[in-house]
Amino acid sequence: MHKYLYLIMAIIASAAVTGCGADQELKKAEKYYAIGEYYDAAAQYRKAYAKTPSKEKEMRGLLAARMAESYRRINSTTKAITAYKNVIRYKQADSLTHLRLAQQLMKNGNYKEAAKNFRAAIDSMPDSQLARNGLESATKAPQWKKDGSAYTVKRMDIFNSRRDDYSPMLGGEDNDQLFFTSTRNQAQGDELSGITGMMAADIFFSQKDDKGKWGKPQSIDSELNSTFEEGACCFSPDGKTMYLTQCTTDPTYPRYATIMVSQRTDAAWSKPTELKISNDTLSSFAHPAVSPDGQWLYFVSDMPGGQGGLDIWRCMLLSSTETAAIENLGPEINTEGDEMFPTFRPNGDFYFSSNGHPGMGGLDVFFVKARKEDFSRKENTLSDDNSGDKLGSGNIQIVHPGFPLNSQGDDFGMTFEGLLNKGFFSSNRGDNRGMDHIYSFFNPEIVQTVKGWVYEQDGYELPAAQVYMVGNDGTNLRLSVKGDGSFTQEIKPGVDYVLLGTCKGFLNHQQQLRVEPVKESQEYVLQFPLANISAPVLIENIFYDFDKATLRPESATALDELVKLLNDNPHVTIELSAHTDYKGSDRYNERLSQRRAESVVRYLIEHGIAADRLTPKGYGEGMPKKIKKKVAERFPFLKEGDVLTEAYIATLPEEQQEQCNQLNRRTEFRVLRTTYGLFDKAGKLIRSQLPESEPQDQDESQ
C-alpha cells in the first residue's frame, strides 16, 4: 500500500482541477484513515469513488484500493472483495492486491478463486511465505471441512447481541462468571465509533446460577469500563487481577492500544491503570494472557523486531503492575501475517489465532501442546527435562484443531472451563455483517483430574495454602489454591501420586492417589483438612462404652487418621485431651476423662507413635466447648463465641441441652511442640535433619 500513500496525495491535490467533485470526501477519508477510523474512512472513500467519473480509471482504482483496505480492517468481507476486484479491473493492482483479495475470498469460503489469486501473488512475490501458506490453505481447507473433528460447536445466544460479542474469559472461584467484550447498545458512551461504526466496546459479564444456567449479560458496576474501548481481558491465576486492552480516542492522532490493570477489591473491579511494558509510544499492546504459573504476560504488538504484521510477545511479570524482559515468541509461532489472542488451557497448552499459518480462512485457532504440566517453567522455557527448547526454537509443533472449531471466518478468543477440553470462543462465521459472536465448544477427549480442598480441620478454607504433588513418573509440582481453598490438576493414568497439603500455622496433611486407566473423563476428589497448631483440634467420631474409657470399634477409622497425621508430621508432639459434660461429680468426670485420654494414647502407641510425643490429659467438665463459626452454622440456636457452661445450657430447651452436652463430650488434641527429634541432648540441630539443598521458600522449609 506504500504506492497508494504517495499517489493518493497527488490525487487529492489534483482533484479540484479535474472537477470530479470528490476532493472534500477524499480529504475527509484520508483524515479518518490516518487516525484509524476505518468505518468512517470507508464511507468517505465510497462517496469519493461514486463522484469520480468512470473515465478516470487510475483515480477510481486507487480509491477502490483505499476502500478495500478500510473494508478489510472492519471485517466487511463482501464489500472488500468487490473493492479489490475493482482495483484489478482498473489496472491498479500490485502483488499485495491479489494476496489481500485471496485472503478475503478465503473468508467467504471461495477456495478455488482464492487459490487462483494466491498463485498470482506468488508469481510476483515468490519469497512470500504468507502467500504460499495461503495457497496451501485454499488447497487443503475443503478436505479439512469434509474430514471434521471430534469438536462440537454451538452458538450461545444467551451471551450474544446484534453487535460484536467476543473474547470470552471465564472467571470466578468455580468458573461461574463469563466476561466478554461487546459493542452492544448498553456500552458506555454516546457516540458511535469511527473505527467500527458501533458503540465503543465494553466488558460485560454473565453469572451462572446454582443450577448451572447462565444469566443475562450485565454491565460491570464499577469504573472498569469507560467511554473508550475496553476488551479482551484475562485474569491472574488467583483471580484478583484483571489485565485488559484499552484504546483511547484522539481526533488528530492514530489509536494505539494499551494494556491496563484492574484489581478486585470487595468483589468490585478498580479503575484500570496502564501497565508499562515498553517505552515505545508508537506501537500497540493488546490481548493480554497470563501464563498458568503467573510469571509471564503474553500479549500482541506491532512493535519493531517482529516477524511481520501483529506478533505475539511476552514479558516477565515482576508484580501485578511491573514487567521486564520482553521477548518475541519467534518465527515458529509468528508469521508475516497476524498472530493474536493468546491464551492458555489450564493444563499449560498454549492457544492463539493466526491468519499466517495454513488454515481455513480468516483467523484460525492453533495450539502448542505443553511439554510438562506447567507451560511456563521457572527456567522460562518450554522444555522437556533440560533440553532448553523455547517457543520459536524450531522444536515445537503447532496443531490445527480442524473443523468445526475453525471455519472460513475469524475464530479466536478461547477460554477453558476447567481441565476438560470445553469452554467458549468467538467467531464471525455465517454473519454477513462480519459481526463476532460467542460459541461454546467441546471435545470429548479423556481427561483425568484431581480436585482437592484445603481447609482448617474445624473451620474454613485456607486460600494461603499450597499443595505439593509428586508422581512416580517424575512429576514434581507446587500447586496454589483458589480463594475457596480448592485446586484442580490434570493427572495421568498408571501413575502413583503423593499430595501434601501445607499452610503456615497448620500441620501438613498427605494423600496418596493411584490413577487407573479409564474410558471416559474422571475426576478424583480429595480433602485436605489441616490441623491448627495454635488451637485445639476436635477428633470427630471417637466413641467410648457408656460411662467407661473403653474405645468402641467404630473409633478406629478416626484414630487411624490421627496416626497418619502424626506420621505426616514427625516433628510434632501433642496433648491428647478428653472432655465430659457436667453430669456427675467434678472428681469423677476428671478421672473418667483422664482414662479416656490414656486409652487413645495407648491406641496411638500400639500403632507406632512414640510415647514421648503424646501427653494424655483429662479435663472432665472443666473446659466447656467454645463455639466456632462453623459449629454455629450447624446449630442455629448457637452463635460464635458462646461457651457451653452448665449455667448457659440450663437456659436452653431440653432438646438443645442434650445437643450441647454432646458437643462438650469430645476428644481433642493440641500441638505442644514442632521440633521433636530435630535437636540432640546438647540442643544442637541434628545434621541428618537438614535439607539436602536450600528450600525455595519458608513454606518448603516448614
Side-chain angles (χ1 to χ4, degrees):
M1 298 304 295
H2 294 295
K3 177 180 74 172
Y4 304 135
L5 290 175
Y6 296 114
L7 290 181
I8 205 78
M9 299 309 296
I11 291 174
I12 291 175
S14 63
V17 177
T18 62
C20 70
D23 55 329
Q24 293 301 318
E25 286 78 6
L26 189 52
K27 289 178 181 179
K28 290 180 181 179
E30 286 298 292
K31 177 183 176 182
Y32 290 136
Y33 193 94
I35 59 175
E37 293 188 348
Y38 301 113
Y39 179 87
D40 288 345
Q44 294 301 321
Y45 283 129
R46 186 171 64 249
K47 291 180 180 179
Y49 182 88
K51 292 182 178 181
T52 301
S54 57
K55 64 180 180 179
E56 297 184 20
K57 293 181 170 48
E58 181 181 19
M59 186 172 185
R60 285 176 70 89
L62 294 176
L63 287 172
R66 294 295 256 183
M67 205 175 354
E69 281 297 292
S70 299
Y71 284 135
R72 178 180 71 86
R73 292 172 183 269
I74 62 173
N75 269 339
S76 189
T77 303
T78 302
K79 291 180 179 179
I81 290 173
T82 300
Y84 281 122
K85 287 183 176 180
N86 282 334
V87 176
I88 296 172
R89 181 160 67 95
Y90 286 114
K91 302 186 185 307
Q92 296 301 312
D94 63 2
S95 54
L96 277 178
T97 303
H98 289 283
L99 177 63
R100 296 301 191 200
L101 174 58
Q103 291 171 331
Q104 297 300 302
L105 290 166
M106 288 287 294
K107 295 181 71 171
N108 250 19
N110 193 339
Y111 295 127
K112 287 185 178 180
E113 192 175 351
K116 175 183 175 182
N117 280 275
F118 278 127
R119 291 189 184 98
I122 292 172
D123 287 343
S124 56
M125 297 186 299
D127 296 329
S128 173
Q129 190 61 46
L130 191 60
R132 293 185 178 278
N133 286 350
L135 181 58
E136 181 181 345
S137 300
T139 304
K140 293 182 176 179
Q143 188 63 43
W144 286 337
K145 186 172 183 178
K146 182 179 178 181
D147 292 342
S149 69
Y151 282 92
T152 56
V153 169
K154 178 183 177 182
R155 179 162 160 163
M156 297 296 293
D157 289 334
I158 183 65
F159 305 132
N160 295 317
S161 66
R162 294 176 56 83
R163 303 298 183 185
D164 276 327
D165 302 284
Y166 59 96
S167 288
M169 181 57 59
L170 284 161
E173 297 294 356
D174 198 29
N175 290 323
D176 58 353
Q177 292 181 331
L178 186 75
F179 295 78
F180 61 93
T181 309
S182 180
T183 59
R184 63 188 59 200
N185 293 335
Q186 290 76 23
Q188 295 187 28
D190 299 324
E191 298 181 358
L192 298 181
S193 169
I195 303 173
T196 64
M198 294 176 283
M199 297 291 291
D202 274 356
I203 298 175
F204 290 78
F205 81 99
S206 176
Q207 180 74 48
K208 185 189 290 186
D209 64 20
D210 295 337
K211 297 180 180 179
K213 183 179 179 180
W214 289 102
K216 183 179 178 181
Q218 307 171 46
S219 300
I220 295 178
D221 188 19
S222 72
E223 295 183 284
L224 180 72
N225 292 310
S226 69
T227 56
F228 301 134
E229 302 259 359
E230 285 89 21
C233 69
C234 72
F235 301 101
S236 59
D238 63 8
K240 296 179 180 179
T241 302
M242 177 193 291
Y243 298 91
L244 63 146
T245 307
Q246 185 181 81
C247 189
T248 58
T249 59
D250 187 324
T252 61
Y253 204 70
R255 274 69 166 171
Y256 295 106
T258 57
I259 293 176
M260 310 291 284
V261 184
S262 174
Q263 306 291 345
R264 189 183 66 186
T265 55
D266 298 328
W269 293 102
S270 67
K271 184 177 180 179
T273 57
E274 183 177 353
L275 179 68
K276 192 72 171 180
I277 294 177
S278 167
N279 291 325
D280 183 351
T281 59
L282 298 178
S283 299
S284 288
F285 301 88
H287 305 170
V290 181
S291 61
D293 63 2
Q295 294 188 54
W296 292 89
L297 181 76
Y298 289 69
F299 61 93
V300 172
S301 180
D302 57 356
M303 73 174 82
Q307 309 301 317
L310 295 171
D311 276 16
I312 299 176
W313 303 67
R314 72 174 186 175
C315 62
M316 189 178 296
L317 282 172
L318 302 178
S319 69
S320 62
T321 57
E322 295 180 289
T323 66
I326 303 174
E327 61 183 28
N328 188 278
L329 296 198
E332 294 301 311
I333 296 292
N334 294 312
T335 67
E336 298 173 31
D338 294 328
E339 279 66 48
M340 309 163 72
F341 300 99
T343 192
F344 287 90
R345 186 175 169 184
N347 69 357
D349 292 351
F350 176 67
Y351 282 72
F352 64 98
S353 291
S354 171
N355 59 18
H357 293 282
M360 297 188 66
L363 291 169
D364 269 25
V365 173
F366 298 86
F367 72 90
V368 178
K369 197 159 186 64
R371 308 292 179 92
K372 291 288 185 181
E373 284 78 356
D374 183 1
F375 186 90
S376 289
R377 297 173 50 168
K378 286 195 178 289
E379 59 266 40
N380 304 333
T381 67
L382 275 170
S383 62
D384 274 319
D385 300 322
N386 295 314
S387 62
D389 296 343
K390 188 171 67 175
L391 276 174
S393 67
N395 294 304
I396 62 173
Q397 181 181 3
I398 295 177
V399 180
H400 184 270
F403 179 84
L405 186 66
N406 286 311
S407 68
Q408 66 194 42
D410 290 325
D411 306 293
F412 60 98
M414 304 284 286
T415 185
F416 293 86
E417 190 173 352
L419 289 169
L420 296 180
N421 198 347
K422 63 181 294 189
F424 303 97
F425 74 111
S426 40
S427 176
N428 62 10
R429 63 185 68 188
D431 191 294
N432 293 329
R433 300 171 302 162
M435 297 290 183
D436 300 313
H437 303 291
I438 295 174
Y439 290 75
S440 66
F441 70 90
F442 176 60
N443 186 326
E445 63 186 25
I446 298 175
V447 178
Q448 290 178 270
T449 60
V450 57
K451 184 167 187 175
W453 275 270
V454 187
Y455 55 93
E456 185 180 0
Q457 187 161 319
D458 194 26
Y460 292 87
E461 62 274 358
L462 295 172
Q466 289 189 326
V467 176
Y468 294 85
M469 178 175 171
V470 178
N472 61 1
D473 65 337
T475 297
N476 193 338
L477 298 175
R478 180 172 60 188
L479 311 174
S480 297
V481 303
K482 298 180 182 178
D484 63 351
S486 71
F487 68 91
T488 305
Q489 178 62 39
E490 186 173 357
I491 50 181
K492 300 176 183 177
V495 178
D496 294 325
Y497 293 97
V498 176
L499 296 94
L500 185 70
T502 69
C503 189
K504 187 176 181 180
F506 293 83
L507 299 184
N508 298 333
H509 183 92
Q510 179 179 294
Q511 292 276 25
Q512 296 184 9
L513 180 64
R514 168 70 181 178
V515 185
E516 301 292 347
V518 294
K519 294 184 178 180
E520 59 183 23
S521 295
Q522 181 180 13
E523 182 176 74
Y524 297 84
V525 178
L526 300 178
Q527 304 286 339
F528 293 83
L530 304 190
N532 195 320
I533 65 174
S534 60
V537 178
L538 176 68
I539 310 172
E540 296 191 84
N541 300 318
I542 301 295
F543 305 101
Y544 307 91
D545 287 339
F546 178 71
D547 213 24
K548 295 181 180 179
T550 307
L551 286 166
R552 297 182 60 81
E554 54 265 39
S555 303
T557 300
L559 290 173
D560 289 342
E561 282 295 315
L562 182 56
V563 171
K564 182 177 178 297
L565 178 67
L566 291 169
N567 285 328
D568 291 344
N569 298 271
H571 304 304
V572 166
T573 66
I574 64 169
E575 176 191 89
L576 199 293
S577 61
H579 305 262
T580 68
D581 57 30
Y582 59 80
K583 298 175 182 178
S585 68
D586 293 351
R587 178 61 177 161
Y588 177 82
N589 285 336
E590 287 179 11
R591 287 161 51 192
L592 177 62
S593 61
Q594 181 66 31
R595 295 200 312 273
R596 287 180 170 178
E598 290 170 354
S599 293
V600 174
V601 166
R602 279 195 300 272
Y603 185 97
L604 299 178
I605 294 172
E606 290 169 1
H607 287 76
I609 304 301
D612 58 349
R613 296 180 61 193
L614 309 168
T615 302
K617 178 65 175 177
Y619 286 96
E621 60 184 279
M623 293 185 64
K625 186 174 182 66
K626 185 176 182 179
I627 299 302
K628 292 185 177 180
K629 185 177 180 181
K630 192 171 184 180
V631 176
E633 291 177 353
R634 290 167 48 201
F635 300 93
F637 65 92
L638 298 174
K639 63 180 183 296
E640 185 179 7
D642 285 346
V643 180
L644 304 185
T645 63
E646 181 177 358
Y648 175 84
I649 295 175
T651 64
L652 302 174
E654 184 175 346
E655 181 181 349
Q656 294 177 0
Q657 287 185 19
E658 180 52 32
Q659 290 176 318
C660 290
N661 286 330
Q662 289 177 2
L663 290 172
N664 272 333
R665 296 192 295 265
R666 66 197 190 278
T667 303
E668 297 176 333
F669 74 87
R670 65 183 181 93
V671 175
L672 299 177
R673 287 194 298 138
T674 59
T675 57
Y676 177 82
L678 289 177
F679 300 92
D680 60 20
K681 292 182 179 180
K684 294 183 179 180
L685 185 66
I686 299 173
R687 295 296 299 175
S688 62
Q689 301 297 340
L690 289 173
E692 295 181 4
S693 60
E694 288 294 324
Q696 292 184 359
D697 54 36
Q698 292 180 352
D699 289 337
E700 290 190 35
S701 177
Q702 180 188 349

